[in-house]
Amino acid sequence: MSTFFIADTHFDDDALRRYENRPFSNTSEMNEAIIDRWNRIVSDDDEVYLVGDVGNTEYISKLNGTKYLIKGNHDKLSNDEYRRLGFAECYDKPIIYADFWIVSHEPVYVNRNMPYANIFGHVHNNPAYNTVSARSYCVSVDRTDFAPVSFEQIMLEVAKADEKDGV
């Protein structure tokens, strides 16, 4: 079993597709690409944390793995409704994963002196945020080739960024 993270799928959101310049002709093409890339990487035995902004929830049942939702600013249904639609659990607030990682839809402030790092989404392609740093990793689909990222890859890339920064 592996664990993966992904954010900002925004299924069926054509305005967002255009605003973020996603490389798809329409939402159908975008949805199919995300579902295909997800299911090529994730098996039914894996866990996936969708870190906010699902979009149209009819696609949840087409995605492999046990799915958890950390709600984003566009996720307006009740937690019970998200569970009914296929999430094993749904969280209104950030969670702590593996005793070190704050998993939140929006980035939170962390620095080297804190005992945490942050896995987040929300910022899409905003250049004010790095995809990876010594204390954070952005899993917005706009930065992950529209596919989930394994926890192992996140840990490896954050460790490399930490070494690069000389600490």
Side-chain angles (χ1 to χ4, degrees), residues 38-102:
W38 179 308
N39 288 339
R40 272 193 271 145
I41 294 169
V42 176
S43 77
D44 283 334
D45 295 330
D46 294 331
E47 294 183 328
V48 182
Y49 287 84
L50 204 161
V51 189
D53 291 356
V54 176
N56 187 337
T57 55
E58 76 179 58
Y59 300 99
I60 299 307
S61 64
K62 297 178 181 186
L63 300 169
N64 290 344
T66 301
K67 297 165 285 288
Y68 301 89
L69 175 64
I70 289 89
K71 289 168 83 171
N73 55 304
H74 291 275
D75 300 318
K76 304 298 184 193
L77 301 177
S78 73
N79 291 359
D80 285 338
E81 184 69 9
Y82 282 114
R83 287 184 203 101
R84 191 184 69 70
L85 291 165
F87 286 98
E89 191 52 81
C90 180
Y91 305 94
D92 292 314
K93 305 281 185 209
I95 64 167
I96 303 295
Y97 181 80
D99 298 324
F100 179 72
W101 300 88
I102 301 169

Side-chain angles (χ1 to χ4, degrees), residues 125-138:
N125 281 315
N126 184 333
Y129 296 88
N130 294 326
T131 299
V132 63
S133 75
R135 283 289 186 263
S136 65
Y137 197 101
C138 180

Side-chain angles (χ1 to χ4, degrees), residues 5-164:
F5 295 84
I6 189 169
D8 305 307
T9 51
H10 288 278
F11 289 116
D12 279 342
D13 189 338
D14 195 53
L16 183 114
R17 179 191 64 82
R18 288 180 279 114
Y19 180 77
E20 291 296 336
N21 297 309
R22 289 186 172 180
F24 306 105
S25 302
N26 53 54
T27 56
S28 185
E29 186 180 311
M30 177 182 76
N31 298 340
E32 289 173 21
I34 293 169
I35 292 165
D36 180 61
R37 292 171 194 190
W38 179 308
N39 288 339
R40 272 193 271 145
I41 294 169
V42 176
S43 77
D44 283 334
D45 295 330
D46 294 331
E47 294 183 328
V48 182
Y49 287 84
L50 204 161
V51 189
D53 291 356
V54 176
N56 187 337
T57 55
E58 76 179 58
Y59 300 99
I60 299 307
S61 64
K62 297 178 181 186
L63 300 169
N64 290 344
T66 301
K67 297 165 285 288
Y68 301 89
L69 175 64
I70 289 89
K71 289 168 83 171
N73 55 304
H74 291 275
D75 300 318
K76 304 298 184 193
L77 301 177
S78 73
N79 291 359
D80 285 338
E81 184 69 9
Y82 282 114
R83 287 184 203 101
R84 191 184 69 70
L85 291 165
F87 286 98
E89 191 52 81
C90 180
Y91 305 94
D92 292 314
K93 305 281 185 209
I95 64 167
I96 303 295
Y97 181 80
D99 298 324
F100 179 72
W101 300 88
I102 301 169
V103 183
S104 59
H105 177 62
E106 296 184 28
V108 297
Y109 174 75
V110 290
N111 68 41
R112 303 185 170 281
N113 301 316
M114 297 174 160
Y116 297 106
N118 184 212
I119 297 171
F120 65 93
H122 184 66
V123 299
H124 298 272
N125 281 315
N126 184 333
Y129 296 88
N130 294 326
T131 299
V132 63
S133 75
R135 283 289 186 263
S136 65
Y137 197 101
C138 180
V139 294
S140 180
V141 297
D142 303 283
R143 295 172 185 241
T144 67
D145 197 28
F146 302 92
V149 180
S150 73
F151 184 54
E152 290 77 17
Q153 180 179 342
I154 291 170
M155 290 189 303
L156 178 66
E157 291 188 35
V158 168
K160 284 181 184 176
D162 197 35
E163 288 173 12
K164 182 181 168 197

